[in-house]
Amino acid sequence: MNSAMRFNKLLFNLLMVMVLATPALALDVHVKVSSQKVDFGLEFGPEYLLDGDPTTAWAVGKASSGVGQWMEFSFPLPVQVVKLGIFNGHQGEGQFEEYRRIRSGRIIYPDGQETKFWLRDEPGEQVILCPIRPIKSLKIV
């Protein structure tokens, strides 16, 4: 391998390390959801999924148990998602008991593989470990 090829490989590896070490808030992440709740003029849209504020929330818009509702995250470059931090339910003061919460779900990767998870019915962050591999999107159902 000549020096130009080694330099290009090194540059690519450095760029990948920078991308993989960047938190989701710093990336240009595109978020789609199956539905969203609008309640008394308040919105519970997808923009609240990655806003860094646990007192805001996304809520589904359909009057159902929530089964089958989803959120999808797409990244501009492949990233390695090592873990997901989920605040189950609305974390705003006095809001946790007012809204439905997730009991279990699936993380679906672009290649069709899935990771199942279960959440406790309590406020605070819960962490889900993910298989480490480069992906450009993931869907949580």
Side-chain angles (χ1 to χ4, degrees), residues 3-140:
S3 61
M5 289 175 68
R6 277 196 300 268
F7 177 76
N8 287 340
K9 185 175 179 182
L10 174 66
L11 181 60
F12 174 77
N13 288 339
L14 285 173
L15 286 172
M16 286 308 293
V17 167
M18 289 178 2
V19 167
L20 297 176
T22 304
L25 290 172
L27 287 176
D28 183 23
V29 181
H30 180 70
V31 181
K32 292 191 321 189
V33 295
S34 53
S35 65
Q36 72 185 53
K37 181 181 183 94
V38 177
D39 190 14
F40 302 110
L42 299 174
E43 260 192 67
F44 296 89
E47 64 273 16
Y48 298 116
L49 286 168
L50 296 176
D51 69 351
D53 183 356
T55 64
T56 62
W58 165 66
V60 300
K62 297 182 179 181
S64 73
S65 65
V67 172
Q69 297 293 311
W70 53 266
M71 57 192 98
E72 184 173 43
F73 304 91
S74 301
F75 310 99
L77 298 169
V79 297
Q80 290 187 8
V81 177
V82 176
K83 59 186 174 180
L84 294 174
I86 296 180
F87 289 89
N88 193 18
H90 199 305
Q91 304 291 307
E93 188 173 332
Q95 299 297 308
F96 186 75
E97 295 295 330
E98 299 299 316
Y99 294 92
R100 287 181 254 161
R101 293 162 305 277
I102 300 169
R103 292 192 176 139
S104 64
R106 301 173 286 138
I107 302 168
I108 303 172
Y109 300 94
D111 63 4
Q113 290 188 356
E114 296 183 4
T115 299
K116 293 182 180 180
F117 65 89
W118 292 263
L119 297 175
R120 296 177 308 278
D121 191 26
E122 60 188 45
E125 184 177 24
Q126 298 179 51
V127 175
I128 300 167
L129 299 178
C130 301
I132 301 172
R133 62 176 179 256
I135 57 171
K136 284 199 70 173
S137 67
L138 62 84
K139 182 182 268 189
I140 301 173

